[in-house]
Amino acid sequence: MHKPSSLRTPDAIPRRRLCLAADMEQYSRLDTRSQSVAQAGLIQLLDEAATMTGLDRAAWARQPQGDMEFAVLPADTPEATVLGPFVHHLSACLSTLNARPDVPRVRLRLAVDTGVAADAALGHAGPAPIAVARYVNAPQLKAVLSALTSADLAVIVSDRLYQDVVRFGHLSLDPARYIRAHVQVKEFGGYGWIHVPGHGPDDMRQAVEGVLEPPPSSEAPVPSGANLSQQVHHGAAVGGNVSGGLNVGGPMMPPTVVPWRAW
């Protein structure tokens, strides 16, 4: 049987990659023309921010999904560059775009994680693509962007990235500007760290704490000693939709985090 040319051959060896998803707020409220303009604006924003940061967007494995773009970045992409300069430039580009009276305002939620991401027939498979799809829809992230009406961008990074990159005090990253949130979306459970350029934790705390957590999942408990950031039971491809059961982390409280400034 002839294989459709649109299907990609799955990776033989899964690789650890940096994944991100950018999703527009309240896209469904726009009319058809405004949606088209907003989609073009999203691509332009990501292109410009990447160019200003020195990142090659042509090398990104991109999956446009209407009001959202999911992307897997090249293996050699510096994580601190994405979390620092890229986020800074994206925020600045948003401010410039939204200052124009002839275009609808664009507000973005951005999620970033790192982990196994493999090419699959309908997109990408692995824990990192699934986690990013869940993080970008975190109720706390949506609540923060809704509450901070002057903000154009709200970012959430996985606990793994926060601990490995942000907390180590890279020059462009300040751990004190992030606030932790326990994210529970579908079968996903894990900790993420929210950052809004131009705002501090005190600005975000009420919105984050005001989100009620859903009842505990019926999934089997996470084994003792398991990695709190990601404990995956099942995976699924991320294309137009994400499906499959997984549990990332668990309802247990994380270990006490020593304040960065006390190091």
Side-chain angles (χ1 to χ4, degrees):
M1 180 182 294
H2 177 68
K3 183 176 67 176
S5 60
S6 61
L7 298 183
R8 291 189 286 179
T9 302
D11 277 347
I13 303 175
R15 297 173 175 83
R16 298 187 67 82
R17 305 281 287 279
L18 194 65
C19 302
L20 63 81
D23 198 351
M24 287 185 283
E25 185 193 46
Q26 298 183 348
Y27 172 83
S28 61
R29 298 185 182 183
L30 302 176
D31 58 30
T32 302
R33 179 183 176 280
S34 296
Q35 287 182 355
S36 297
V37 173
Q39 287 188 27
L42 174 60
I43 299 301
Q44 181 179 354
L45 285 165
L46 295 173
D47 287 348
E48 289 181 354
T51 298
M52 295 169 70
T53 309
L55 300 174
D56 182 10
R57 278 269 286 167
W60 294 18
R62 298 157 54 186
Q63 292 177 220
Q65 299 174 31
D67 61 341
M68 184 180 85
E69 180 180 288
F70 168 78
V72 178
L73 279 59
D76 59 351
T77 303
E79 295 166 345
T81 298
V82 174
L83 300 184
F86 176 75
V87 167
H88 170 76
H89 291 310
L90 182 58
S91 178
C93 289
L94 273 165
S95 296
T96 300
L97 176 68
N98 290 333
R100 294 172 50 186
D102 58 327
V103 297
R105 185 183 183 191
V106 176
R107 306 181 77 211
L108 295 181
R109 302 190 311 276
L110 183 72
V112 191
D113 192 11
T114 184
V116 172
D119 288 343
L122 298 178
H124 290 85
I130 295 173
V132 163
R134 302 304 189 231
Y135 277 125
V136 81
N137 285 304
Q140 295 93 332
L141 190 65
K142 292 180 178 180
V144 164
L145 193 57
S146 177
L148 300 179
T149 56
S150 63
D152 295 322
L153 176 66
V155 182
I156 185 168
V157 303
S158 66
D159 185 67
R160 179 188 0 242
L161 272 178
Y162 178 85
Q163 300 299 340
D164 291 350
V165 181
V166 178
R167 196 161 168 252
F168 272 84
H170 286 271
L171 294 178
S172 60
L173 302 172
D174 182 1
R177 307 295 292 178
Y178 293 73
I179 185 170
R180 189 180 66 182
H182 180 251
V183 178
Q184 188 75 41
V185 179
K186 297 184 178 181
E187 299 85 8
F188 174 99
Y191 287 91
W193 294 79
I194 298 174
H195 167 58
V196 177
H199 294 270
D202 290 342
D203 299 331
M204 300 181 279
R205 186 165 288 110
Q206 184 174 356
V208 170
E209 294 177 350
V211 175
L212 298 177
E213 291 195 18
S217 170
S218 59
E219 290 279 341
V222 176
S224 176
N227 187 316
L228 180 64
S229 295
Q230 288 215 349
Q231 178 68 29
V232 178
H233 300 306
H234 305 288
V238 177
N241 294 301
V242 180
S243 62
L246 79 160
N247 182 32
V248 181
M252 68 186 75
M253 291 300 294
T256 302
V257 176
V258 179
W260 172 73
R261 299 190 184 282
W263 285 21

